[in-house]
Amino acid sequence: MIKLEKTKKYLVFAVVFVAVISLVIFGVIRSRRMATPNDKTLAVDKNLENSVIVQTDDGTVSKVDMASGQVISANALEKEDFSDFAGLPQLSDEQKKNSDQSMLVAGDKSQAILTITLYDTSKKPAAAGGLPILSADDYLCAIVQKICQKTDLLTKEYQGLDAKLQEDRNAFVWTAWDAKRNLLLGHIISNEAEDVSPMYECEISTGSCIFTVGYDSQKTGNSTAVIPTGAISPSLEKFVMVAQRDLPNQETGKNWSLLLYDTNNLLNPKAYDISVIIDHDENVAYDSVHSIAWSADEKKIAIGTTRRIFMFDTESGGLSLAYIAPTDSEGDFNWDSSRLFLSPDATAIAFVDTKDTLVADATPSDGTDDNANETVEDTDISLNVLKKIDLQNANKVTELLQGEGLSLKF
Amino acid sequence: MLNKYKFPKLSFLAIIFSMAAYIFLVPTVAKAATVDATLLFNPNTNSTTMSGTNVTFTARVNPGSNNTQGVNAVQLDITFVPAVVHLVSATAAAPFVPMSTPDIAAANASGTLSVPYFIGGGQVTALSDVATLVFSPQGIGSNSPIAYALTANAAVNDGNGTLVASTRTGATITVASNGSDITPPVISAGTPSGQLAAGTTQQTVSVTTDENASCQYATTSGVIYGDSPAIAFTTGEGSTAHSFIATGLISGGTYGYYVRCQDVSVNLNKDTTDTSIAFSIASPAVNPPSSGSSSSNHQSSNKKAKTSPRKISNSKKTISRGSILTQRGNKFSKNALIWLYFSKSNGGYYAPQKIKSSATGSFVITYRVNKSMGRYGWYALDTKTGKKSKSVYYNVK
C-alpha cells in the first residue's frame, strides 16, 4: 500500500512537472512568434496586384483591375479605414467631422503610421482659410493585429535633419518608411509647393540622417532636383530625382538628368540624360517631370511630364514615347500628370484625364472683359476618366472608369 | 497529516512557478528585436591639401542597443577611386584581426577592398574600431578641390555566428591642388555632329586627344572628371582615340555630351571649357495613340457654362491634406507672366507665385497641398493686361 501511494505521488509530480515545462516552452515559442515578422506579409511586395486604386471627390475609394477594367473592392488599408483598430482615440461624431488623418504605410504593408489631426472649429474662418489645429498625434498601427499605439517616429529628433524644418509641414514631408531596414525617407517642399531635393534618409534606431548632396534646394547656388510623385521604388531601395536646371514654372531647362539613387549609397547616383523628352512645343509653357511609376522588378519606369508619358529602361537607358495628351481646338490639354500607375509587369500604364470641366451655378459671361471686382466664385466639378495605355498593343488607349474628381490614389 | 498535504503543496508551488515563468519570461524573450549594429567612418570627411600627404580613416562598428550578444565579426567592403587616392594600408584594430591579408595592389587596381575582420573567442559590445585605412592622394594638377566618395559596406556577425546586419556608410576625401603645372590633354575631332537619320537608335561618339589620356563624358556641362555622373569612354583608355556607343536614341531627340580627359600624369583639363559633342536625330511625325477619347471634349453636359476669359480650374474639388492638386488656366495672354495668388490657412494670400503662359495662353501647375482642413481659393492675374481671373476653390479634408 505504501508503495502504491509512493507511486501515485511520483506520477502526480511527474505530470505536474511536465505541465510546467510545457507551459514554459509554449510561452517561449509564442513570444518568438510575436517578435518575428509575419513572413506572409513580407511576401506581399513580391506579388503586387495588377490593379489601380482611385478616389473620387466624395471620398469613395475603388480598385480597378487593369486587365478587365472591373471595379473591385478596396481593402481597409487602401481605404485608410482604421475604424476597427484598437488604441486610437475615440472621437465623437463632431470631432470626426473636424479631423483628418494621413497615413504613412511601411513598405511591407505590415504597419502604418497614422497621423490624426483635430481642428478647432470655434474659430472658423469667415470666407476661405483653414481651421486652427488643436492637436496632431501619430499612431503606430499593426495592420494584421489591428492595434495602434502612440509613436514619435516621425517627430523625434533626427541628427542631420533640422528640427524646425522637420516640424514645418509646409516645408518637409516624410514620404516612405522601410520598416524592415528601419529607415524613413523624406524631402523638402519648395516655395512653389513642389517636392524637391534633397532627399533625407534617416535611420530610426540611431536617430541620424544622411541626405543626397549636390542638389540642395536650401543652399544658394545649388541647383534643385525635383522629386516626382512615385519617385521611390516598391522595394524602397531606390528612388529617382530629376535635375531639370530650370526656372520653376517659368523657363524649361535645357538639360534634364534622371538621377537613380540606391538608398544604400546616396553618394553616387546613376545619372541618365533624358533631355530628349523635353517638350519644346509652344503649347507647353513649362515642361517638367511630374510623376514616376515603377514596374515590380524596378527595371522599367514610366515618366509623366507636363504633356507626355515615356517609358524608361534603367538597364539600357532606353526611352520611348508612350502617350501625348491630345489638345483641343484651343490648344489645351488636361491630363493629370501628377500621378501615374505602371502595371507590375510593365505592360500597361494608367492615368487620369479630364473629360469635362463643369462649372455649376456660374454667372454667365456678360461679355465684358473686366472682372476685377468679380465676387462670384466658381466651384469646379471636374469629370475625370481613368485611362489605360496598352504598351503591348501599339500604346492603344482605352477608358476604364470615370467619376467626378477622379484621381489615382497611392 | 503532514504527508497528506505536503504533496498537493508541491503541486501548487509548481503551478505558481510555471505561471510566474510565463508572465516574466515571455516579455523578456519577446524583446528579441532587429539587430541595429551600424558602421561608420571616423572622421566622416577628411581633406588634404598636399599631394602625397596621407589621409587616415578608421572604420568603426557600433553594436547597437538591441544587439545584446555584441559583434564578433565584420565583413568590410570598401570602394574608392584609385585614380585620385591610392590605398596605402589597411590595418586591423585590436581586438579585430583580418581573416585574410588585405591585397593592397589588387585594391588599387580595382578600387575595391574586401576583408573579413573577426575576434577570436570574444566580442565587442560598445563602439569599437575595426580597421584603420590610410590613403595617399595622387598628384592632382588642378586649382580646385575635388571631393571623392569613400564608401563601405559591412555585414555584422551578432556574436552567435549569425550574419545579421548589413550597414553602409560613406566618407569624403577632398584633395586640393599643390599648385603643380597644368598641362592637360587637348581634345579634338569630336563626332558625330549635325542631324542623324530618323530611326537611329545608337551611335558611336568619339574624340581624339593630343597625348595618351583617359576620357570621361557627362550629359551636363561642368562635371568634374572622376565625379558622378561622369562616365568613362569604353575604348581608348591610355591612348589618343576614345569612343563609346550612345544607345537608346529616339527620333526627334537632341543629344549633347561634355567631355573631359586626364593624361597619365593625372593632369586634368577640368578648368577649361568642356568639349561638347551635340547631334540630333531627325524626327518622323509622332502620332498620338489611337483613342476614341479626347480630353477637354466639351460634350453632353447641360451644366456647362459659356466660356469666359481668364479661366482657371482645379483637378479636384476636395483633396486630402498632403495630396497633389493640379491647377490649370487658359485664355490668358500668350507667353505672358501670370501671377497666382493662393489663400493662406489664416486668411489673406501668399506672395504671388509666378508662372509663364504658353503660346496659347494656358498654363498648368502641380501643387502639394499641405494645408489644414478648410476651404482655399486662388486666382490668377494676367500681368500683361492687369486683369484677374475669378477665384476658384477647393476643400481640404
Side-chain angles (χ1 to χ4, degrees), chain B residues 49-136:
Chain B
T49 56
M50 295 288 287
S51 172
T53 301
N54 292 347
V55 290
T56 301
F57 291 89
T58 307
R60 318 185 80 192
V61 66
N62 183 345
S65 53
N66 291 338
N67 196 15
T68 55
Q69 300 295 323
V71 166
N72 74 346
V74 177
Q75 171 72 37
L76 210 58
D77 299 310
I78 310 284
T79 57
F80 58 98
V81 180
V84 179
V85 290
H86 268 207
L87 181 65
V88 174
S89 63
T91 310
F96 286 97
V97 294
M99 290 180 76
S100 60
T101 305
D103 188 341
I104 304 296
N108 285 321
S110 63
T112 60
L113 175 72
S114 185
V115 181
Y117 292 92
F118 82 110
I119 302 171
Q123 54 275 330
V124 294
T125 54
L127 180 65
S128 304
D129 293 351
V130 176
T132 300
L133 308 160
V134 179
F135 291 90
S136 163

Side-chain angles (χ1 to χ4, degrees), chain B residues 44-318:
Chain B
N44 61 6
T45 61
N46 206 330
S47 64
T48 177
T49 56
M50 295 288 287
S51 172
T53 301
N54 292 347
V55 290
T56 301
F57 291 89
T58 307
R60 318 185 80 192
V61 66
N62 183 345
S65 53
N66 291 338
N67 196 15
T68 55
Q69 300 295 323
V71 166
N72 74 346
V74 177
Q75 171 72 37
L76 210 58
D77 299 310
I78 310 284
T79 57
F80 58 98
V81 180
V84 179
V85 290
H86 268 207
L87 181 65
V88 174
S89 63
T91 310
F96 286 97
V97 294
M99 290 180 76
S100 60
T101 305
D103 188 341
I104 304 296
N108 285 321
S110 63
T112 60
L113 175 72
S114 185
V115 181
Y117 292 92
F118 82 110
I119 302 171
Q123 54 275 330
V124 294
T125 54
L127 180 65
S128 304
D129 293 351
V130 176
T132 300
L133 308 160
V134 179
F135 291 90
S136 163
Q138 300 303 289
I140 301 295
S142 159
N143 293 323
S144 301
I146 304 168
Y148 292 88
L150 170 70
T151 61
N153 275 310
V156 177
N157 186 307
D158 71 350
N160 286 331
T162 308
L163 219 56
V164 290
S166 179
T167 70
R168 82 288 175 274
T169 189
T172 55
I173 306 174
T174 304
V175 180
S177 168
N178 61 5
S180 55
D181 287 338
I182 300 170
T183 53
V186 176
I187 305 169
S188 63
T191 59
S193 60
Q195 189 174 75
L196 307 181
T200 302
T201 57
Q202 62 181 45
Q203 175 65 38
T204 300
V205 178
S206 60
V207 297
T208 304
T209 50
D210 67 340
E211 57 176 323
N212 291 339
S214 302
C215 293
Q216 294 183 348
Y217 67 93
T219 53
T220 53
S221 63
V223 176
I224 295 168
Y225 184 97
D227 268 8
S228 172
I231 305 168
F233 277 64
T234 47
T235 67
E237 170 88 14
S239 73
T240 58
H242 313 270
S243 67
F244 69 92
I245 298 177
T247 58
L249 308 180
I250 61 176
S251 298
T254 54
Y255 300 88
Y257 300 94
Y258 301 90
V259 180
R260 294 192 181 191
C261 300
Q262 168 185 280
D263 62 25
V264 294
S265 303
V266 199
N267 286 311
L268 293 154
N269 59 348
K270 63 189 285 297
D271 284 337
T272 60
T273 307
D274 293 310
T275 298
S276 69
I277 299 171
F279 59 91
S280 63
I281 313 292
S283 54
V286 176
N287 298 314
S290 62
S291 166
S293 69
S294 165
S295 65
S296 327
N297 204 359
H298 298 283
Q299 295 173 358
S300 79
S301 168
N302 292 330
K303 289 201 272 187
K304 185 181 173 302
K306 293 178 190 172
T307 57
S308 55
R310 298 179 299 282
K311 191 173 180 319
I312 60 174
S313 63
N314 301 316
S315 59
K316 289 176 73 69
K317 194 172 68 177
T318 304

Side-chain angles (χ1 to χ4, degrees), chain A residues 140-391:
Chain A
L140 176 61
C141 300
I143 302 302
V144 170
Q145 295 83 356
K146 295 197 175 184
I147 187 164
C148 304
Q149 63 186 44
K150 261 197 178 178
T151 181
D152 66 347
L153 282 186
L154 302 184
T155 53
K156 71 176 196 173
E157 190 180 320
Y158 285 95
Q159 212 177 356
L161 174 60
D162 181 78
K164 281 193 182 147
L165 178 68
Q166 184 185 356
E167 267 175 26
D168 187 351
R169 299 202 292 194
N170 288 319
F172 180 83
V173 62
W174 292 112
T175 45
W177 174 27
D178 187 337
K180 276 193 290 181
R181 293 188 295 156
N182 236 3
L183 292 178
L184 278 168
L185 291 169
H187 56 74
I188 305 294
I189 303 170
S190 71
N191 290 335
E192 292 82 20
E194 271 192 315
D195 294 347
V196 294
S197 55
M199 178 77 85
Y200 287 81
E201 184 181 304
C202 301
E203 293 200 24
I204 296 171
S205 51
T206 60
S208 65
C209 299
I210 54 176
F211 50 88
T212 55
V213 295
Y215 298 95
D216 191 342
S217 56
Q218 298 174 293
K219 284 193 181 156
T220 314
N222 257 238
S223 58
T224 302
V226 297
I227 301 178
T229 58
I232 302 175
S233 72
S235 69
L236 306 185
E237 298 216 351
K238 300 177 190 170
F239 63 87
V240 159
M241 302 200 308
V242 184
Q244 299 182 162
R245 302 170 189 91
D246 60 7
L247 188 58
N249 294 317
Q250 294 183 60
E251 200 175 300
T252 307
K254 292 184 173 50
N255 288 298
W256 285 5
S257 300
L258 185 145
L259 306 167
L260 179 60
Y261 285 86
D262 183 333
T263 54
N264 292 307
N265 180 4
L266 293 192
L267 291 173
N268 294 306
K270 275 190 194 167
Y272 302 89
D273 180 12
I274 58 169
S275 305
V276 66
I277 71 174
I278 298 173
D279 198 336
H280 300 287
D281 191 296
E282 61 175 11
N283 284 335
V284 177
Y286 167 75
D287 200 14
S288 175
V289 174
H290 295 291
S291 51
I292 293 282
W294 297 78
S295 61
D297 63 7
E298 301 184 356
K299 291 178 182 173
K300 301 241 180 353
I301 291 175
I303 301 173
T305 63
T306 303
R307 200 188 144 193
R308 306 192 289 187
I309 302 174
F310 293 85
M311 282 301 296
F312 177 66
D313 187 320
T314 62
E315 291 186 316
S316 66
L319 277 163
S320 61
L321 180 64
Y323 181 74
I324 303 178
T327 51
D328 60 15
S329 55
E330 289 160 344
D332 297 329
F333 51 90
N334 286 306
W335 86 284
D336 185 357
S337 57
S338 68
R339 291 172 187 83
L340 272 183
F341 172 84
L342 179 62
S343 63
D345 56 5
T347 57
I349 295 171
F351 67 96
V352 168
D353 203 348
T354 300
K355 196 158 185 120
D356 207 343
T357 299
L358 313 171
V359 179
D361 303 320
T363 302
S365 169
D366 60 3
T368 64
D369 201 32
D370 181 358
N371 62 355
N373 297 317
E374 186 66 71
T375 55
V376 173
E377 63 205 39
D378 287 348
T379 307
D380 289 351
I381 301 171
S382 202
L383 184 61
N384 297 336
V385 56
L386 177 70
K387 291 184 177 174
K388 167 184 155 182
I389 304 170
D390 188 341
L391 297 172

